[in-house]
Amino acid sequence: MIIANENFGKLASSYLFSEIGKRVNEFKNENPDAKIIRMGIGDVTLPLPKACIEAMHKAVDEMGSASTFRGYGPERGYDFLIRKICDYDYRRHGIKIDTDEVFISDGAKSDTGNITDILGHDCIVAVTDPVYPVYVDTNIMAGRKEGIVYLPCTAENNFVPELPVGDVDVIYLCFPNNPTGTTLTHDQLKKFVDYAIEHKSLILFDAAYEAFISSEDVPHSIYEISGAKSVAIEFRSYSKTAGFTGTRCSYTVVPKECIGYGLDGKEYSFNELWNRRQCTKFNGTPYIVQRAAEAIYSESGREQVRQIIDYYKTNATIIRNALISKGYTGVYGGVDSPYVWVKTPEGTDSWGFFDYLLKEKAIVSTPGAGFGSSGEGYIRLTAFNTTENTVEAMNRI
Ligand code: PLP
């Protein structure tokens, strides 16, 4: 008999985006002339920066010549990219990250999911609610459904999760947050780092939206907090930064002083475990893609990325300001993030407001309830669209 991983049977159905698709298709069939504006998806709309395209063309040519062809690359990533990361993303912000603490990958989704490979089976895991579903589902797949603790993030606590009650072993934090678009200040994040140091827990810090931060007091990296290197792993992605959602490149920082413990108290270096995990199950991100990512750090690349981020941030500001001026009282995020989290009007739930926006305004949103029970009563709107569409959508509301 073939024994299947029964934990998969404990997953909630991935109903959110299929249900959105179904309702949008029904609306389209009934209203074939409606100009639908999609503000639900978390995918970028602008093309790759020119600097990345040029770097990729050059790398493709290298692959076509025996003298410059590359086969298997280093599993952890090419040095040319890792050095740029250590320098531009960390050293210039006063943080020392060694090259052997950076692991290039094909996406923060893969890494935030695969990281469960290096966690003990009996870990108690805390996640925020609402939450990026990957953290929850990958832990359920690994048999930890009963070991997940939810930290609500609502308007009442200003979307700042309370510290876990008692001991938890692992805490997933994503800031700027998907879906709420909200952030933590240095002091708020420091409380989590101090908790992790005291409780010997591990923080998995997802900074996929770091590029959108412009507020002074919002940390770009968890390593800005003193002591964080001993308790935190950080995930970064080029997906939203530079339009790499289809090109696929990201990286994970696992500091050498970040230590986990066996049930007998024996110490394990998470850097060594992750290195072993990656070298065993992953053969590296394509050379061509890593050259594209490297180009982001060139002078022209940095400028082009800045323009892309500014474009989306302008859209987010348009959404925020329009909703506030139209009398919506609960409008959150959208300042250091491409996501705006909107309280549904009195008497409407997430799906009710989703249906209203779709049927009356031909606007697609994402119902907050799809991200967890604390997301009920909210919808998420995204800035990943043209400014023209964003303005038109706001005029329709
Ligand atoms: N982490 C968060 C919080 C996200 O919202 C996303 C994508 O939407 C990802 C990670 C995935 O990033 P990547 O495209 O690098 O896999």
Side-chain angles (χ1 to χ4, degrees):
M1 189 167 75
I2 301 168
I3 311 286
N5 181 349
E6 291 171 304
N7 294 312
F8 280 64
K10 300 178 184 171
L11 293 166
S13 68
S14 57
Y15 134 102
L16 177 64
F17 288 99
S18 58
E19 181 63 23
I20 291 174
K22 191 173 134 241
R23 293 191 192 202
V24 171
N25 278 338
E26 277 168 15
F27 175 76
K28 259 192 346 206
N29 290 340
E30 286 160 23
N31 305 274
D33 298 331
K35 185 189 167 209
I36 297 175
I37 300 181
R38 293 175 186 274
M39 304 183 82
I41 46 159
D43 197 359
V44 294
T45 50
L46 291 174
L48 289 173
K50 227 170 145 219
C52 300
I53 296 296
E54 285 164 6
M56 275 202 276
H57 278 304
K58 188 160 167 270
V60 167
D61 287 341
E62 285 178 52
M63 293 303 248
S65 161
S67 62
T68 48
F69 168 78
R70 311 268 182 144
Y72 289 124
E75 289 95 341
R76 315 169 52 125
Y78 282 102
D79 221 38
F80 60 75
L81 176 56
I82 293 178
R83 285 187 185 285
K84 292 278 174 7
I85 290 166
C86 292
D87 187 8
Y88 283 90
D89 292 346
Y90 292 102
R91 193 182 61 77
R92 288 175 192 222
H93 297 278
I95 300 164
K96 185 176 171 298
I97 296 293
D98 291 337
T99 51
D100 57 359
E101 295 176 313
V102 177
F103 297 81
I104 309 294
S105 174
D106 62 356
K109 185 177 196 172
S110 326
D111 282 7
T112 53
N114 292 332
I115 202 79
T116 58
D117 278 3
I118 64 169
L119 304 176
H121 180 265
D122 296 323
C123 277
I124 302 295
V125 171
V127 298
T128 58
D129 174 16
V131 65
Y132 177 55
V134 172
Y135 314 151
V136 173
D137 287 355
T138 52
N139 275 287
I140 293 176
M141 289 172 185
R144 293 193 199 93
K145 185 173 172 80
E146 285 72 34
I148 302 177
V149 172
Y150 292 88
L151 310 174
C153 293
T154 60
E156 288 65 44
N157 61 17
N158 230 348
F159 303 95
V160 178
E162 301 286 337
L163 289 175
V165 178
D167 276 338
V168 304
D169 304 301
V170 179
I171 307 169
Y172 286 80
L173 293 177
C174 169
F175 289 98
N177 187 259
N178 179 14
T180 66
T182 57
T183 51
L184 294 185
T185 63
H186 277 87
D187 285 351
Q188 288 162 346
L189 185 56
K190 183 173 183 310
K191 287 194 181 133
F192 279 89
V193 171
D194 290 346
Y195 171 97
I197 292 170
E198 190 190 330
H199 292 256
K200 294 191 168 167
S201 345
L202 174 69
I203 297 176
L204 298 174
F205 191 73
D206 187 344
Y209 297 93
E210 175 277 333
F212 293 83
I213 297 172
S214 51
S215 296
E216 270 292 295
D217 197 27
V218 175
H220 288 252
S221 163
I222 193 166
Y223 305 123
E224 289 177 35
I225 313 294
S226 144
K229 281 176 84 177
S230 65
V231 291
I233 290 175
E234 180 162 289
F235 305 92
R236 296 265 189 117
S237 170
Y238 298 109
S239 282
K240 309 298 158 74
T241 309
F244 273 54
T245 51
T247 306
R248 312 303 302 144
C249 195
S250 71
Y251 64 88
T252 292
V253 177
V254 191
K256 281 172 287 197
E257 60 248 61
C258 189
I259 300 295
Y261 304 89
L263 288 174
D264 56 0
K266 185 177 170 208
E267 294 191 352
Y268 291 86
S269 153
F270 278 126
N271 181 288
E272 284 173 18
L273 299 194
W274 185 245
N275 185 41
R276 185 64 193 257
R277 190 268 169 217
Q278 289 298 80
C279 292
T280 304
K281 293 194 181 180
F282 184 58
N283 247 339
T285 307
Y287 171 71
I288 296 163
V289 171
Q290 291 191 60
R291 281 293 185 201
E294 180 197 22
I296 292 170
Y297 297 96
S298 65
E299 205 180 324
S300 56
R302 292 203 312 276
E303 174 54 25
Q304 289 157 16
V305 164
R306 198 185 57 74
Q307 286 173 12
I308 291 174
I309 299 291
D310 282 353
Y311 186 86
Y312 293 133
K313 276 175 77 80
T314 302
N315 291 349
T317 306
I318 291 168
I319 300 170
R320 261 187 74 82
N321 291 349
L323 293 174
I324 291 168
S325 76
K326 284 162 199 268
Y328 282 84
T329 47
V331 180
Y332 307 96
V335 176
D336 298 296
S337 160
Y339 298 129
V340 183
W341 190 240
V342 187
K343 184 99 194 82
T344 59
E346 197 67 42
T348 339
D349 64 7
S350 289
W351 279 107
F353 194 44
F354 169 90
D355 282 336
Y356 165 80
L357 288 178
L358 179 62
K359 290 180 183 160
E360 304 297 326
K361 310 291 176 191
I363 294 170
V364 183
S365 61
T366 309
F371 297 99
S373 58
S374 295
E376 181 52 273
Y378 295 89
I379 56 147
R380 188 190 72 177
L381 295 176
T382 90
F384 296 127
N385 215 314
T386 62
T387 300
E388 294 71 27
N389 279 349
T390 306
V391 169
E392 185 180 332
M394 291 303 109
N395 286 338
R396 287 186 198 171
I397 291 185

Short mmCIF file of all heavy atoms in Angstrom, two decimals, residues 282-315:
data_model
loop_
_atom_site.label_atom_id
_atom_site.label_comp_id
_atom_site.label_asym_id
_atom_site.label_seq_id
_atom_site.Cartn_x
_atom_site.Cartn_y
_atom_site.Cartn_z
N PHE A 282 18.67 21.41 -4.00
CA PHE A 282 18.56 22.54 -4.92
C PHE A 282 19.85 22.65 -5.71
O PHE A 282 20.93 22.48 -5.14
CB PHE A 282 18.32 23.80 -4.07
CG PHE A 282 18.08 25.07 -4.84
CD1 PHE A 282 17.04 25.18 -5.75
CD2 PHE A 282 18.89 26.19 -4.64
CE1 PHE A 282 16.81 26.36 -6.44
CE2 PHE A 282 18.67 27.37 -5.33
CZ PHE A 282 17.63 27.45 -6.22
N ASN A 283 19.73 22.95 -7.00
CA ASN A 283 20.95 23.05 -7.80
C ASN A 283 21.24 24.47 -8.27
O ASN A 283 21.92 24.69 -9.26
CB ASN A 283 20.89 22.10 -9.00
CG ASN A 283 21.90 20.98 -8.86
OD1 ASN A 283 22.87 21.12 -8.11
ND2 ASN A 283 21.70 19.88 -9.56
N GLY A 284 20.70 25.42 -7.55
CA GLY A 284 21.06 26.81 -7.84
C GLY A 284 20.08 27.51 -8.78
O GLY A 284 19.34 26.89 -9.52
N THR A 285 20.12 28.83 -8.70
CA THR A 285 19.31 29.70 -9.57
C THR A 285 20.07 29.87 -10.89
O THR A 285 21.29 29.97 -10.87
CB THR A 285 19.12 31.06 -8.87
OG1 THR A 285 18.61 30.81 -7.56
CG2 THR A 285 18.17 31.96 -9.62
N PRO A 286 19.37 29.92 -12.03
CA PRO A 286 20.08 30.00 -13.31
C PRO A 286 21.08 31.17 -13.37
O PRO A 286 20.80 32.26 -12.86
CB PRO A 286 18.95 30.21 -14.32
CG PRO A 286 17.76 29.59 -13.68
CD PRO A 286 17.93 29.81 -12.20
N TYR A 287 22.21 30.91 -13.99
CA TYR A 287 23.27 31.93 -14.15
C TYR A 287 22.70 33.20 -14.78
O TYR A 287 22.96 34.31 -14.31
CB TYR A 287 24.37 31.34 -15.05
CG TYR A 287 25.41 32.35 -15.48
CD1 TYR A 287 26.33 32.84 -14.55
CD2 TYR A 287 25.47 32.81 -16.80
CE1 TYR A 287 27.28 33.78 -14.94
CE2 TYR A 287 26.41 33.74 -17.19
CZ TYR A 287 27.32 34.23 -16.25
OH TYR A 287 28.24 35.15 -16.63
N ILE A 288 21.89 33.03 -15.83
CA ILE A 288 21.35 34.17 -16.56
C ILE A 288 20.51 35.05 -15.62
O ILE A 288 20.57 36.28 -15.66
CB ILE A 288 20.47 33.66 -17.74
CG1 ILE A 288 21.35 32.90 -18.72
CG2 ILE A 288 19.72 34.78 -18.42
CD1 ILE A 288 20.56 32.02 -19.69
N VAL A 289 19.75 34.40 -14.76
CA VAL A 289 18.87 35.12 -13.84
C VAL A 289 19.71 35.84 -12.77
O VAL A 289 19.42 36.98 -12.38
CB VAL A 289 17.87 34.14 -13.21
CG1 VAL A 289 17.09 34.80 -12.08
CG2 VAL A 289 16.92 33.61 -14.28
N GLN A 290 20.77 35.18 -12.31
CA GLN A 290 21.61 35.83 -11.29
C GLN A 290 22.34 37.04 -11.88
O GLN A 290 22.58 38.03 -11.20
CB GLN A 290 22.60 34.83 -10.69
CG GLN A 290 21.89 33.79 -9.85
CD GLN A 290 22.86 32.94 -9.04
OE1 GLN A 290 23.60 33.45 -8.22
NE2 GLN A 290 22.84 31.64 -9.28
N ARG A 291 22.70 36.96 -13.17
CA ARG A 291 23.30 38.13 -13.82
C ARG A 291 22.28 39.28 -13.89
O ARG A 291 22.63 40.43 -13.69
CB ARG A 291 23.80 37.78 -15.23
CG ARG A 291 25.12 37.06 -15.27
CD ARG A 291 26.25 37.98 -14.79
NE ARG A 291 27.56 37.32 -14.93
CZ ARG A 291 28.65 37.69 -14.25
NH1 ARG A 291 28.60 38.68 -13.37
NH2 ARG A 291 29.79 37.07 -14.43
N ALA A 292 21.02 38.91 -14.16
CA ALA A 292 19.97 39.94 -14.19
C ALA A 292 19.82 40.59 -12.82
O ALA A 292 19.71 41.81 -12.70
CB ALA A 292 18.64 39.32 -14.63
N ALA A 293 19.86 39.77 -11.78
CA ALA A 293 19.71 40.30 -10.42
C ALA A 293 20.91 41.18 -10.07
O ALA A 293 20.77 42.24 -9.45
CB ALA A 293 19.57 39.16 -9.42
N GLU A 294 22.08 40.77 -10.50
CA GLU A 294 23.29 41.57 -10.22
C GLU A 294 23.14 42.98 -10.82
O GLU A 294 23.55 43.98 -10.21
CB GLU A 294 24.52 40.87 -10.83
CG GLU A 294 25.81 41.64 -10.58
CD GLU A 294 26.94 41.19 -11.52
OE1 GLU A 294 26.64 40.62 -12.59
OE2 GLU A 294 28.11 41.41 -11.17
N ALA A 295 22.51 43.04 -12.01
CA ALA A 295 22.38 44.33 -12.71
C ALA A 295 21.51 45.32 -11.94
O ALA A 295 21.60 46.53 -12.16
CB ALA A 295 21.82 44.10 -14.11
N ILE A 296 20.68 44.81 -11.03
CA ILE A 296 19.85 45.70 -10.21
C ILE A 296 20.73 46.64 -9.38
O ILE A 296 20.33 47.75 -9.04
CB ILE A 296 18.95 44.85 -9.28
CG1 ILE A 296 17.91 44.09 -10.10
CG2 ILE A 296 18.29 45.69 -8.20
CD1 ILE A 296 17.15 43.05 -9.30
N TYR A 297 21.93 46.18 -9.06
CA TYR A 297 22.80 46.96 -8.18
C TYR A 297 23.70 47.93 -8.95
O TYR A 297 24.46 48.67 -8.35
CB TYR A 297 23.67 46.01 -7.33
CG TYR A 297 22.83 45.14 -6.42
CD1 TYR A 297 22.46 43.84 -6.77
CD2 TYR A 297 22.39 45.63 -5.18
CE1 TYR A 297 21.69 43.05 -5.94
CE2 TYR A 297 21.63 44.84 -4.34
CZ TYR A 297 21.28 43.55 -4.73
OH TYR A 297 20.51 42.78 -3.89
N SER A 298 23.66 47.88 -10.30
CA SER A 298 24.45 48.84 -11.07
C SER A 298 23.80 50.22 -10.91
O SER A 298 22.66 50.33 -10.44
CB SER A 298 24.46 48.45 -12.56
OG SER A 298 23.15 48.56 -13.07
N GLU A 299 24.53 51.26 -11.31
CA GLU A 299 23.98 52.61 -11.12
C GLU A 299 22.65 52.75 -11.88
O GLU A 299 21.65 53.22 -11.33
CB GLU A 299 24.99 53.63 -11.61
CG GLU A 299 24.81 54.96 -10.92
CD GLU A 299 25.82 55.98 -11.41
OE1 GLU A 299 26.98 55.59 -11.69
OE2 GLU A 299 25.43 57.15 -11.54
N SER A 300 22.65 52.31 -13.15
CA SER A 300 21.41 52.45 -13.92
C SER A 300 20.32 51.53 -13.36
O SER A 300 19.15 51.91 -13.29
CB SER A 300 21.66 52.16 -15.40
OG SER A 300 22.22 50.87 -15.53
N GLY A 301 20.71 50.34 -12.92
CA GLY A 301 19.74 49.39 -12.36
C GLY A 301 19.07 49.96 -11.13
O GLY A 301 17.84 49.89 -10.97
N ARG A 302 19.87 50.58 -10.26
CA ARG A 302 19.30 51.15 -9.02
C ARG A 302 18.31 52.26 -9.35
O ARG A 302 17.25 52.37 -8.75
CB ARG A 302 20.42 51.66 -8.10
CG ARG A 302 21.28 50.54 -7.52
CD ARG A 302 21.99 50.93 -6.25
NE ARG A 302 22.69 52.20 -6.30
CZ ARG A 302 23.92 52.39 -6.79
NH1 ARG A 302 24.58 51.37 -7.28
NH2 ARG A 302 24.48 53.58 -6.77
N GLU A 303 18.66 53.06 -10.32
CA GLU A 303 17.78 54.17 -10.72
C GLU A 303 16.48 53.62 -11.33
O GLU A 303 15.38 54.09 -11.03
CB GLU A 303 18.53 55.08 -11.70
CG GLU A 303 17.71 56.21 -12.31
CD GLU A 303 17.02 57.10 -11.29
OE1 GLU A 303 17.50 57.19 -10.14
OE2 GLU A 303 15.96 57.69 -11.64
N GLN A 304 16.62 52.60 -12.18
CA GLN A 304 15.42 52.04 -12.82
C GLN A 304 14.49 51.39 -11.79
O GLN A 304 13.26 51.50 -11.86
CB GLN A 304 15.83 51.03 -13.90
CG GLN A 304 16.44 51.72 -15.12
CD GLN A 304 17.35 50.80 -15.92
OE1 GLN A 304 17.32 49.58 -15.79
NE2 GLN A 304 18.19 51.39 -16.77
N VAL A 305 15.09 50.71 -10.81
CA VAL A 305 14.28 50.08 -9.77
C VAL A 305 13.57 51.16 -8.95
O VAL A 305 12.40 51.03 -8.61
CB VAL A 305 15.16 49.18 -8.87
CG1 VAL A 305 14.45 48.83 -7.57
CG2 VAL A 305 15.54 47.91 -9.61
N ARG A 306 14.30 52.24 -8.67
CA ARG A 306 13.70 53.33 -7.89
C ARG A 306 12.45 53.86 -8.63
O ARG A 306 11.41 54.11 -8.03
CB ARG A 306 14.71 54.45 -7.67
CG ARG A 306 14.33 55.40 -6.53
CD ARG A 306 15.30 56.57 -6.44
NE ARG A 306 15.40 57.33 -7.67
CZ ARG A 306 14.48 58.18 -8.12
NH1 ARG A 306 13.39 58.38 -7.44
NH2 ARG A 306 14.66 58.82 -9.26
N GLN A 307 12.56 53.99 -9.95
CA GLN A 307 11.41 54.49 -10.72
C GLN A 307 10.22 53.53 -10.66
O GLN A 307 9.08 53.95 -10.56
CB GLN A 307 11.83 54.73 -12.17
CG GLN A 307 12.69 55.97 -12.33
CD GLN A 307 13.24 56.12 -13.73
OE1 GLN A 307 12.82 55.42 -14.65
NE2 GLN A 307 14.19 57.02 -13.90
N ILE A 308 10.53 52.24 -10.74
CA ILE A 308 9.45 51.24 -10.68
C ILE A 308 8.73 51.32 -9.33
O ILE A 308 7.50 51.36 -9.25
CB ILE A 308 10.03 49.81 -10.89
CG1 ILE A 308 10.51 49.64 -12.33
CG2 ILE A 308 9.01 48.75 -10.53
CD1 ILE A 308 11.23 48.32 -12.60
N ILE A 309 9.53 51.35 -8.27
CA ILE A 309 8.94 51.38 -6.92
C ILE A 309 8.14 52.67 -6.74
O ILE A 309 7.02 52.67 -6.21
CB ILE A 309 10.04 51.26 -5.84
CG1 ILE A 309 10.78 49.91 -5.99
CG2 ILE A 309 9.47 51.43 -4.43
CD1 ILE A 309 9.98 48.69 -5.65
N ASP A 310 8.71 53.78 -7.21
CA ASP A 310 8.00 55.07 -7.10
C ASP A 310 6.65 55.01 -7.82
O ASP A 310 5.65 55.56 -7.35
CB ASP A 310 8.83 56.21 -7.71
CG ASP A 310 9.94 56.65 -6.77
OD1 ASP A 310 9.96 56.16 -5.62
OD2 ASP A 310 10.79 57.46 -7.19
N TYR A 311 6.64 54.35 -8.96
CA TYR A 311 5.41 54.24 -9.75
C TYR A 311 4.32 53.53 -8.93
O TYR A 311 3.20 54.03 -8.79
CB TYR A 311 5.70 53.48 -11.04
CG TYR A 311 4.55 53.42 -12.01
CD1 TYR A 311 4.34 54.44 -12.93
CD2 TYR A 311 3.68 52.32 -12.04
CE1 TYR A 311 3.28 54.39 -13.84
CE2 TYR A 311 2.64 52.25 -12.94
CZ TYR A 311 2.44 53.28 -13.84
OH TYR A 311 1.40 53.22 -14.74
N TYR A 312 4.68 52.40 -8.35
CA TYR A 312 3.68 51.65 -7.57
C TYR A 312 3.30 52.42 -6.30
O TYR A 312 2.16 52.38 -5.86
CB TYR A 312 4.21 50.26 -7.21
CG TYR A 312 4.42 49.32 -8.38
CD1 TYR A 312 5.59 48.58 -8.51
CD2 TYR A 312 3.43 49.15 -9.34
CE1 TYR A 312 5.78 47.71 -9.58
CE2 TYR A 312 3.62 48.29 -10.41
CZ TYR A 312 4.79 47.56 -10.52
OH TYR A 312 4.97 46.70 -11.58
N LYS A 313 4.30 53.07 -5.72
CA LYS A 313 4.00 53.81 -4.48
C LYS A 313 3.05 54.97 -4.77
O LYS A 313 2.20 55.30 -3.95
CB LYS A 313 5.31 54.31 -3.82
CG LYS A 313 5.97 53.22 -2.95
CD LYS A 313 7.30 53.65 -2.40
CE LYS A 313 7.23 54.61 -1.24
NZ LYS A 313 6.95 53.96 0.05
N THR A 314 3.20 55.57 -5.94
CA THR A 314 2.26 56.64 -6.33
C THR A 314 0.86 56.07 -6.43
O THR A 314 -0.11 56.65 -5.94
CB THR A 314 2.68 57.25 -7.69
OG1 THR A 314 4.01 57.74 -7.55
CG2 THR A 314 1.75 58.36 -8.13
N ASN A 315 0.74 54.90 -7.04
CA ASN A 315 -0.59 54.25 -7.14
C ASN A 315 -1.17 53.99 -5.75
O ASN A 315 -2.36 54.20 -5.51
CB ASN A 315 -0.50 52.93 -7.90
CG ASN A 315 -0.20 53.13 -9.38
OD1 ASN A 315 -0.26 54.25 -9.87
ND2 ASN A 315 0.12 52.05 -10.07
#
